[in-house]
Amino acid sequence: MKRLVSIQDISCIGKCSQTIALPIISAMGIETSIIPTAVLSAHTMFPGFTFCDLSDNIVSITEHWKTLDIHFDAILSGYLGNISHIDMLLDFYENFADADTITIADPVFADNGKIYAGFDEKYGEAVTRIAGKAEYIVPNITEAAFMAGLRYRSDYDMDYINEIFDRLVNAGAKNIIITSVIKNNENGIIAHFSDGSTFEYFKPDVKGTFHGTGDLFASTFAGALLRGFCAKDAAKIAVEYTSYTLNATVRNETHNWYGIDFEDTIPYLLQLTGRI
Ligand code: PXL
């Protein structure tokens, strides 16, 4: 069985980061190890959330793992909490990313033109260092613009997106998949790969803001890569599954404001990936 390690926070309520990565990637038939970077009482959209930084634990977990004969087929990172966690992730790559380890980084820190509570533009600059090391980065359009040092624009066009790609490639990024791109009332991804090829895939936009959508995309994409799909097919599967889950969430009258109802849609993920 392939093994992935997911490096991101645990939000005890809110359905995001580890509480999405663990069920989704496990359901895809991949052993999912975790390193929690922080424990939050609830994700940062909940007023009054508590935040326990686990930096010391990240170091001790890594030190212990160095004594084990353990190999990761993929390293997936998401919300990291602070700049020192970025250094820890890069250090983790040094120690555990072998020639055949796929590294996927979601530089979670902003959305809809705004930086999340607890982050600032300095974090945006620092997270760009991951772009130079990870094989795949999956920022949303807001994060991609900040990482590229551009002012976020809601009225973007392909020139703006190509400018982001150019700047991120100059910063060392290899394969860039920009998520949450709106084009002709559709929502999807535009990707630029290290071989110079591009790829885009869109589905009808679902109105509203749904938390954890990026985490669902990144987890599905990472899992699909490990199931042997090429990057374009893995991205397409991730868009299909995310869009399907958003629609299912909206239809579910009891859905919560704070997260998406992926629990109901896992059978479809298994179909998409040919497991059932
Ligand atoms: O969904 C991304 C995410 C992950 N973890 C925490 C968050 C967010 C987005 O707000 O607050 C703690």
Side-chain angles (χ1 to χ4, degrees):
M1 190 179 280
K2 295 264 169 112
R3 181 187 296 117
L4 172 148
V5 56
S6 164
I7 304 179
Q8 46 195 327
D9 71 284
I10 294 180
S11 288
C12 299
I13 295 176
K15 303 205 267 188
C16 64
S17 29
Q18 299 290 21
T19 59
I20 285 189
L22 253 175
I24 292 298
I25 301 169
S26 301
M28 294 173 91
I30 293 151
E31 180 183 332
T32 310
S33 309
I34 61 166
I35 297 187
T37 53
V39 176
L40 290 81
S41 55
H43 67 49
T44 59
M45 300 294 152
F46 284 84
F49 67 87
T50 68
F51 183 97
C52 173
D53 179 7
L54 294 182
S55 293
D56 292 348
N57 274 297
I58 300 175
V59 174
S60 49
I61 291 168
T62 310
E63 287 306 313
H64 177 227
W65 286 4
K66 280 190 206 164
T67 69
L68 309 178
D69 182 21
I70 191 143
H71 171 73
F72 296 105
D73 299 291
I75 302 170
L76 169 69
S77 60
Y79 181 102
L80 292 175
N82 62 45
I83 290 181
S84 74
H85 292 168
I86 295 175
D87 294 320
M88 289 177 189
L89 177 70
L90 297 179
D91 194 50
F92 191 86
Y93 281 1
E94 287 290 317
N95 287 297
F96 292 96
D98 298 330
D100 60 349
T101 303
I102 304 171
T103 48
I104 306 125
D106 183 357
V108 178
F109 70 99
D111 203 5
N112 295 313
K114 292 204 188 75
I115 296 183
Y116 291 142
F119 291 118
D120 54 22
E121 294 203 5
K122 271 213 166 71
Y123 185 88
E125 283 163 28
V127 88
T128 309
R129 284 193 282 130
I130 300 176
K133 299 283 179 197
E135 194 173 341
Y136 295 94
I137 55 167
V138 292
N140 62 39
I141 178 83
T142 304
E143 290 156 349
F146 279 119
M147 289 169 76
L150 289 173
R151 196 178 54 83
Y152 172 77
R153 276 176 36 193
S154 53
D155 62 334
Y156 48 80
D157 54 15
M158 265 324 283
D159 285 346
Y160 181 74
I161 291 191
N162 285 329
E163 174 74 17
I164 292 177
F165 283 140
D166 286 348
R167 287 172 174 238
L168 290 178
V169 168
N170 282 337
K174 299 173 191 75
N175 300 292
I176 308 156
I177 302 177
I178 304 182
T179 65
S180 298
V181 178
I182 302 286
K183 198 171 163 185
N184 306 326
N185 282 325
E186 293 199 310
N187 194 322
I189 56 121
I190 302 188
H192 182 285
F193 295 108
S194 56
D195 62 4
S197 68
T198 57
F199 177 70
E200 52 179 73
Y201 194 74
F202 283 84
K203 298 291 286 181
D205 188 34
V206 178
K207 295 282 169 240
T209 306
F210 295 92
H211 210 79
T213 311
D215 302 335
L216 192 71
F217 175 87
S219 295
T220 309
F221 175 70
L225 284 179
L226 283 194
R227 294 241 43 113
F229 291 94
C230 71
K232 288 176 189 164
D233 287 346
K236 184 173 160 186
I237 288 169
V239 174
E240 282 290 350
Y241 180 55
T242 304
S243 160
Y244 183 88
T245 302
L246 283 172
N247 281 297
T249 304
V250 173
R251 274 198 311 275
N252 184 357
E253 282 170 13
T254 65
H255 77 260
N256 296 302
W257 64 268
Y258 55 74
I260 44 175
D261 293 348
F262 64 86
E263 299 89 340
D264 280 339
T265 61
I266 288 178
Y268 184 59
L269 174 63
L270 303 188
Q271 272 177 31
L272 278 173
T273 49
R275 304 204 68 225
I276 53 170

